[in-house]
Amino acid sequence: MPSSPVASASPSRTPEQTRQLRRVALSGLLGTAVEFYDFLVYGTVAALVFGELFFPGADPAVGTVAAFGTFAAGYAARPLGGVLFGHFGDRLGRKSMLLLTMGLMGGASFLIGLLPTYDTIGVWAPVLLIALRVVQGIAIGGEWGGATLMVVEHAGERRRGLWSSFTQMGAPLGSLLSTAVVTLVVALPREEFAAWGWRVPFLLSVVLLGVGLFVRLRVVESPLFAEVRKDRAEARLPVLDVLRRPRPLLLACCVGIGAFTAQSLLTSYMIAYATGIGYARPQVLTALTVSACVALVVLPCASALSDRVGRRPVVLAGAVASAALAFPVLALVDSGSPGLLILAVALGHGVAQSTMYGPLGALLTEMFGTRVRYTGASLGYQGATLVGAGFSPMIAGSLVAASGDSTPVALLLCGGAAITALTVLFVRETNKDSLTEAAERPAAAHTEEVTA
């Protein structure tokens, strides 16, 4: 006989519950890997060739800024995806929305690989590129929140941080996969890369999509959601419940800004910046590969530590480290040494950023009640990505072009880390909260308690 939702949240598990938890964790890992593979492939190719392919005739610096403008368009669409998929995920179920978001993400990425360029269809090329980025952004807006809370709601009470780190580890895994593929295609002669090589990483995303959908079809619905779904008497628009008491949402947005500012500046933008000051592309991609490997170790360690000492101190430690390392990291990059470039990205992204990012999965989902958790966590996370990552590369590119040095990049890193550090002071510790009890409370009451 199937176990009750409460039983599934308890420390004692049946073998089937353990299998489902592992399957859900793998599903979250693959979903985030697809998200970040698409994200990093786009950012990498935008830095290398999108300026000349989709915005020809512009000054190279202006073309790069325009290419990162399409990058930002995808981020601007993410909160809409958080509202849309959060609404149906909170009302109809997590699993069906996760299948849909993954399909849209991978499908949009595949279609970008088929796009004709400006030379072929003129102004329609950047228009279609922006449209596909918006579709991708809407899908991604609903992906992370659903994937993370599925893991957290299956995980029980004591190791939510550790299990949620599987979803977070999709970021460096996606980075490794994207870097490996891009490394192969950038080895092509420049003319061949610009002609067709840039398309290969986008087209290969269909492989990740297929594997991810296969795994997701085999997971079961969140037990906590299945329980609250029985109660339709209090059903409202989830987004209205979240906005009625906006403090948790604002805190969720602000606490993630530092991690996403560091992520975008030290991955996608770093490719454009480092190649612009003389590094060879393979050297920059090697630095990103080493950083991703470091992150795969730091993320689960930071997340597991947050189960023991709390989410707040771990996130705060990462924010302080990110601010302290900002200027030294950029100085190492400016040295011109490939070895020091690797050290810089590994410290700034692999260690400091990952320490901030690791506990966010559990922290953001714990800040909202079950009836609005998909909507609240998605909007909080995507709001942080929009502010922290969506515009940082474009702002950094413009400021560096005007100033001629890396100081604006370091200042942006410090600013994002400072926002996270200050926000942590206003966030209540949640690592010991019971999600089973939260599932039984009205959403607004839980939200109010979290902010009390």
Side-chain angles (χ1 to χ4, degrees):
M1 185 173 67
S3 311
S4 71
V6 173
S8 69
S10 69
S12 178
R13 298 179 183 281
T14 67
E16 177 58 26
Q17 288 168 348
T18 301
R19 280 193 295 271
Q20 279 297 324
L21 176 56
R22 291 172 180 167
R23 200 172 289 164
V24 168
L26 178 60
S27 164
L29 175 70
L30 291 173
T32 313
V34 171
E35 172 187 344
F36 277 86
Y37 176 89
D38 293 343
F39 159 80
L40 291 168
V41 161
Y42 186 92
T44 303
V45 176
L48 297 177
V49 294
F50 271 9
E52 64 187 76
L53 294 179
F54 290 91
F55 305 94
D59 176 86
V62 175
T64 299
V65 172
F68 278 123
T70 63
F71 190 66
Y75 276 104
R78 288 185 176 204
L80 175 59
V83 172
L84 178 64
F85 290 105
H87 172 80
F88 290 106
D90 282 327
R91 296 296 300 275
L92 304 179
R94 296 22 173 149
K95 178 180 174 178
S96 57
M97 294 302 105
L98 289 177
L99 290 170
L100 183 56
T101 57
M102 180 174 278
L104 286 174
M105 277 193 310
S109 186
F110 181 79
L111 290 176
I112 288 175
L114 299 177
L115 272 182
T117 62
Y118 190 95
D119 288 343
T120 304
I121 59 171
V123 71
W124 282 106
V127 169
L128 291 173
L129 178 64
I130 293 171
L132 287 174
R133 279 295 294 166
V134 169
V135 170
Q136 210 173 43
I138 290 173
I140 290 173
E143 165 62 31
W144 180 90
T148 301
L149 67 88
M150 275 283 278
V151 177
V152 171
E153 289 180 349
H154 274 86
E157 303 297 343
R158 294 190 300 183
R159 302 175 72 188
R160 296 193 297 255
L162 177 60
W163 280 106
S164 71
S165 71
F166 281 85
T167 304
Q168 308 297 75
M169 288 165 66
L173 178 60
S175 176
L176 282 175
L177 294 172
S178 67
T179 301
V181 174
V182 170
T183 299
L184 292 176
V185 295
V186 297
L188 294 169
R190 174 71 182 180
E191 295 76 17
E192 292 186 35
F193 177 72
W196 60 268
W198 67 270
R199 300 180 183 276
V200 174
F202 292 103
L203 298 177
L204 287 178
S205 65
V206 74
V207 177
L208 272 177
L209 173 62
V211 175
L213 288 176
F214 173 76
V215 173
R216 285 201 167 165
L217 284 168
R218 301 178 67 204
V219 304
V220 299
E221 185 57 87
S222 156
L224 291 179
F225 174 79
E227 181 67 15
V228 301
R229 189 179 185 179
K230 298 173 184 176
D231 178 14
R232 287 303 193 189
E234 300 180 38
R236 303 182 182 94
L237 287 173
V239 69
L240 295 183
D241 268 358
V242 172
L243 295 177
R244 194 157 60 92
R245 288 181 171 86
R247 190 168 183 260
L249 177 60
L250 293 174
L251 291 175
C253 288
C254 292
V255 79
I257 285 175
F260 289 109
T261 301
Q263 182 183 78
S264 64
L265 293 178
L266 296 175
T267 55
S268 297
Y269 178 72
M270 185 53 62
I271 296 171
Y273 178 77
T275 54
I277 63 173
Y279 287 97
R281 290 173 190 163
Q283 293 172 336
V284 183
L285 294 175
T286 298
L288 294 179
T289 299
V290 173
S291 172
C293 291
V294 173
L296 283 171
V297 176
V298 174
L299 280 168
C301 291
S303 301
L305 183 62
S306 77
D307 284 328
R308 290 181 172 271
V309 304
R311 320 293 185 212
R312 298 170 71 241
V314 177
V315 174
L316 180 61
V320 171
S322 185
L325 289 170
F327 281 94
V329 160
L330 269 299
L332 292 175
V333 173
D334 289 340
S335 70
S337 166
L340 294 180
L341 172 68
I342 292 172
L343 177 62
V345 180
L347 286 174
H349 181 259
V351 177
Q353 189 274 343
S354 296
T355 303
M356 278 190 287
Y357 183 63
L360 285 183
L363 175 61
L364 267 60
T365 55
E366 289 163 354
M367 291 174 72
F368 300 93
T370 304
R371 291 183 177 87
V372 299
R373 187 170 289 135
Y374 201 141
T375 300
S378 295
L379 280 178
Y381 183 89
Q382 301 308 336
T385 63
L386 174 62
V387 176
F391 299 103
S392 295
M394 187 168 54
I395 294 170
S398 300
L399 294 177
V400 168
S403 67
D405 62 40
S406 62
T407 301
V409 182
L411 290 174
L412 285 170
L413 286 170
C414 288
I419 292 172
T420 290
L422 289 173
T423 305
V424 165
L425 302 178
F426 297 93
V427 173
R428 191 175 73 82
E429 185 56 68
T430 58
N431 71 323
K432 302 301 182 184
D433 286 359
S434 170
L435 295 186
T436 302
E437 293 177 7
E440 295 163 0
R441 301 187 192 114
H446 178 72
T447 303
E448 185 175 45
E449 179 186 330
V450 167
T451 61

PDB file of all heavy atoms in Angstrom, residues 1 55 74 178 231 264 287 314:
ATOM      1  N   MET A   1       0.852  -1.196   0.000  1.00  0.00           N
ATOM      2  CA  MET A   1       0.000   0.000   0.000  1.00  0.00           C
ATOM      3  C   MET A   1       0.881   1.237   0.000  1.00  0.00           C
ATOM      4  O   MET A   1       1.880   1.290   0.720  1.00  0.00           O
ATOM      5  CB  MET A   1      -0.888   0.010   1.246  1.00  0.00           C
ATOM      6  CG  MET A   1      -1.893   1.168   1.249  1.00  0.00           C
ATOM      7  SD  MET A   1      -3.043   1.008   2.644  1.00  0.00           S
ATOM      8  CE  MET A   1      -1.949   1.254   4.029  1.00  0.00           C
ATOM      9  N   PHE A  55      24.219  41.066 -35.843  1.00  0.00           N
ATOM     10  CA  PHE A  55      24.253  42.530 -35.767  1.00  0.00           C
ATOM     11  C   PHE A  55      25.444  43.057 -36.576  1.00  0.00           C
ATOM     12  O   PHE A  55      26.315  43.745 -36.039  1.00  0.00           O
ATOM     13  CB  PHE A  55      24.351  42.987 -34.306  1.00  0.00           C
ATOM     14  CG  PHE A  55      23.263  42.436 -33.430  1.00  0.00           C
ATOM     15  CD1 PHE A  55      23.462  41.270 -32.705  1.00  0.00           C
ATOM     16  CD2 PHE A  55      22.036  43.074 -33.341  1.00  0.00           C
ATOM     17  CE1 PHE A  55      22.454  40.749 -31.902  1.00  0.00           C
ATOM     18  CE2 PHE A  55      21.023  42.558 -32.537  1.00  0.00           C
ATOM     19  CZ  PHE A  55      21.232  41.394 -31.828  1.00  0.00           C
ATOM     20  N   GLY A  74      16.204  37.137 -22.689  1.00  0.00           N
ATOM     21  CA  GLY A  74      15.793  35.862 -22.120  1.00  0.00           C
ATOM     22  C   GLY A  74      15.585  35.947 -20.621  1.00  0.00           C
ATOM     23  O   GLY A  74      14.658  35.351 -20.065  1.00  0.00           O
ATOM     24  N   SER A 178      28.713  22.236 -21.867  1.00  0.00           N
ATOM     25  CA  SER A 178      28.756  23.308 -22.866  1.00  0.00           C
ATOM     26  C   SER A 178      30.196  23.654 -23.233  1.00  0.00           C
ATOM     27  O   SER A 178      30.523  23.866 -24.404  1.00  0.00           O
ATOM     28  CB  SER A 178      28.018  24.549 -22.361  1.00  0.00           C
ATOM     29  OG  SER A 178      28.689  25.128 -21.266  1.00  0.00           O
ATOM     30  N   ASP A 231      -7.395  19.771  -0.724  1.00  0.00           N
ATOM     31  CA  ASP A 231      -8.154  20.871  -0.129  1.00  0.00           C
ATOM     32  C   ASP A 231      -8.332  21.970  -1.167  1.00  0.00           C
ATOM     33  O   ASP A 231      -7.408  22.719  -1.451  1.00  0.00           O
ATOM     34  CB  ASP A 231      -7.417  21.403   1.099  1.00  0.00           C
ATOM     35  CG  ASP A 231      -8.138  22.585   1.731  1.00  0.00           C
ATOM     36  OD1 ASP A 231      -9.305  22.809   1.380  1.00  0.00           O
ATOM     37  OD2 ASP A 231      -7.520  23.268   2.565  1.00  0.00           O
ATOM     38  N   SER A 264      27.323  35.211 -13.852  1.00  0.00           N
ATOM     39  CA  SER A 264      27.309  35.732 -15.221  1.00  0.00           C
ATOM     40  C   SER A 264      28.617  36.432 -15.574  1.00  0.00           C
ATOM     41  O   SER A 264      29.124  36.290 -16.690  1.00  0.00           O
ATOM     42  CB  SER A 264      26.132  36.696 -15.414  1.00  0.00           C
ATOM     43  OG  SER A 264      26.270  37.836 -14.584  1.00  0.00           O
ATOM     44  N   ALA A 287      39.872  27.432 -18.192  1.00  0.00           N
ATOM     45  CA  ALA A 287      39.604  28.029 -16.882  1.00  0.00           C
ATOM     46  C   ALA A 287      38.169  27.754 -16.435  1.00  0.00           C
ATOM     47  O   ALA A 287      37.920  27.426 -15.261  1.00  0.00           O
ATOM     48  CB  ALA A 287      39.866  29.533 -16.941  1.00  0.00           C
ATOM     49  N   VAL A 314      26.140  30.196   5.773  1.00  0.00           N
ATOM     50  CA  VAL A 314      26.864  29.702   4.602  1.00  0.00           C
ATOM     51  C   VAL A 314      26.757  30.694   3.445  1.00  0.00           C
ATOM     52  O   VAL A 314      27.749  31.024   2.784  1.00  0.00           O
ATOM     53  CB  VAL A 314      26.346  28.312   4.178  1.00  0.00           C
ATOM     54  CG1 VAL A 314      27.057  27.829   2.914  1.00  0.00           C
ATOM     55  CG2 VAL A 314      26.545  27.310   5.308  1.00  0.00           C
TER      56      VAL A 314
END
